[in-house]
Amino acid sequence: MFDKKVAKLLNQQINKELYSGYLYLDMNNYFQARGLDGFANWYYIQAQEERDHAMLFYQYMQNNDLKVTLGAIDKPDKKFKRDMDVLKAGLEHEQYVTQLINDIYAEANRAKDFRTMQFLDWFIKEQGEEETNARDMISKMELFGSDPKGLYMLNQELKARVYSAPSLVL
Ligand code: MG
């Protein structure tokens, strides 16, 4: 029997990942309006990745014969006045998601649900990378963002990001 609390948290994570995608789409929206197409591209791809994460949780639940309940996705309600607000909100959000993943891991551990722990290992690593990426963005913005040429170069760099499907296959 699958642990009820673990199943509930897995189901909740589908919604949280979709919300993440929604939030990043709003960040794409902000940068698109700013005319910073490289930044917009970076957040667009980020949104795609979050939808992938949601589908991995969805698929994992179905593979384990767990009932999925889909709920409403909150609207992104963060207000961005400056570019840096977006970057900082991104890091804050990833730290929050790391906590969510850790909480599911802790419940799976309590329930001796080793299969779910192994599934979550990929997300533990992924969250480390997400936080590093978000911090790198902030550092680069602090170093180069206040100078128009620097901002242009940074935008060009972020324009080069391409989408790749998650390495975890279920
Ligand atoms: Mg995610």
Side-chain angles (χ1 to χ4, degrees):
M1 273 300 283
F2 211 98
D3 185 83
K4 278 201 175 68
K5 183 82 193 287
V6 175
K8 192 177 165 218
L9 290 177
L10 288 169
N11 197 142
Q12 177 187 280
Q13 196 61 26
I14 297 172
N15 188 283
K16 298 284 184 184
E17 298 290 346
L18 288 173
Y19 173 78
S20 299
Y22 230 38
L23 181 63
Y24 283 124
L25 209 53
D26 204 32
M27 293 176 174
N28 161 272
N29 201 20
Y30 168 89
F31 281 116
Q32 198 63 40
R34 274 273 285 140
L36 287 168
D37 56 355
F39 282 84
N41 172 61
W42 199 90
Y43 285 104
Y44 188 85
I45 291 170
Q46 198 66 19
Q48 282 178 300
E49 280 194 5
E50 299 305 340
R51 290 196 295 271
D52 289 338
H53 295 166
M55 296 318 289
L56 286 168
F57 279 96
Y58 183 76
Q59 194 67 61
Y60 179 76
M61 288 191 73
Q62 287 193 336
N63 287 355
N64 285 281
D65 208 20
L66 296 168
K67 186 177 177 288
V68 174
T69 306
L70 296 175
I73 303 162
D74 288 343
K75 73 172 191 176
D77 57 356
K78 294 202 196 301
K79 296 270 174 277
F80 309 124
K81 288 205 186 89
R82 304 158 50 244
D83 300 340
M84 191 57 104
D85 295 342
V86 181
L87 275 53
K88 288 194 170 157
L91 175 59
E92 237 173 69
H93 183 70
E94 287 305 334
Q95 287 166 338
Y96 166 66
V97 174
T98 297
Q99 193 53 55
L100 292 173
I101 300 288
N102 286 350
D103 290 346
I104 311 173
Y105 202 99
E107 281 302 325
N109 187 41
R110 177 200 49 79
K112 293 192 170 64
D113 179 354
F114 303 113
R115 191 190 301 159
T116 297
M117 287 162 76
Q118 195 186 43
F119 165 69
L120 289 173
D121 280 340
W122 185 87
F123 286 93
I124 301 275
K125 186 161 175 280
E126 174 72 13
Q127 280 314 117
E129 289 168 13
E130 298 281 31
E131 286 188 32
T132 300
N133 290 341
R135 263 193 295 271
D136 282 355
M137 290 270 276
I138 292 171
S139 307
K140 283 181 183 173
M141 197 63 162
E142 278 170 351
L143 284 166
F144 313 116
S146 54
D147 166 61
K149 264 188 211 154
L151 186 63
Y152 178 79
M153 295 299 283
L154 196 48
N155 187 64
Q156 291 302 106
E157 183 190 318
L158 297 175
K159 205 192 278 195
R161 184 183 185 188
V162 289
Y163 167 77
S164 67
S167 55
L168 177 62
V169 178
L170 297 180

